[in-house]
Amino acid sequence: MQQKLDHFSHHAFIDTLTQRNVVCGITSEEDEDFIPIGNQQNAHQNKYIVLINQLDGSSNINVNISINTIFSIYTRIPPLNTPMTIRGFFTTLTSTSSHQVYHLRLIYYI
């Protein structure tokens, strides 16, 4: 069951990431579909894919156990100036030449 804080954090992160001029696609634990970013001018120039779990462990909030935000950022493999598609997304993540540029885990103690 999705908690209110899950819903809020999902939309806060997605709204923020879609406004950045570097992200071409997002996938989130809270969303079943890949989210391509194409609503900006020059969006096909954006070169990073973000995988995110906005609030990992949110079911533990009521028992005072830490919760986390987990990011993983990859450089896209499909060429710039082309739309990021679900196929391009999976190509990026499954390619042996895939390049993870950043991984971050933020831990929150409540």
Side-chain angles (χ1 to χ4, degrees):
M1 182 172 156
Q2 190 178 41
Q3 300 209 10
K4 288 181 184 179
L5 195 52
D6 285 314
H7 182 75
F8 173 80
S9 65
H10 172 73
H11 288 286
F13 276 102
I14 298 302
D15 290 346
T16 300
L17 289 169
T18 56
Q19 298 305 312
R20 303 298 302 158
N21 291 328
V22 295
V23 177
C24 62
I26 305 166
T27 188
S28 163
E29 183 196 28
E30 302 299 326
D31 203 322
E32 292 182 13
D33 297 317
F34 169 70
I35 303 166
I37 309 301
N39 58 343
Q40 305 166 334
Q41 184 179 7
N42 299 323
H44 302 315
Q45 294 292 322
N46 300 355
K47 61 181 184 177
Y48 297 110
I49 293 173
V50 177
L51 285 68
I52 187 168
N53 185 345
Q54 294 88 343
L55 216 51
D56 184 48
S58 61
S59 61
N60 296 327
I61 290 173
N62 295 334
V63 292
N64 294 328
I65 296 176
S66 66
I67 55 175
N68 308 277
T69 296
I70 304 168
F71 286 92
S72 191
I73 301 172
Y74 289 81
T75 303
R76 70 185 280 168
I77 293 210
L80 293 178
N81 295 318
T82 61
M84 178 53 69
T85 63
I86 190 71
R87 182 181 187 136
F89 168 73
F90 282 116
T91 299
T92 297
L93 296 182
T94 59
S95 172
T96 55
S97 62
S98 179
H99 183 65
Q100 182 182 32
V101 293
Y102 200 74
H103 179 81
L104 175 68
R105 172 178 235 132
L106 301 171
I107 302 174
Y108 311 105
Y109 295 98
I110 299 175

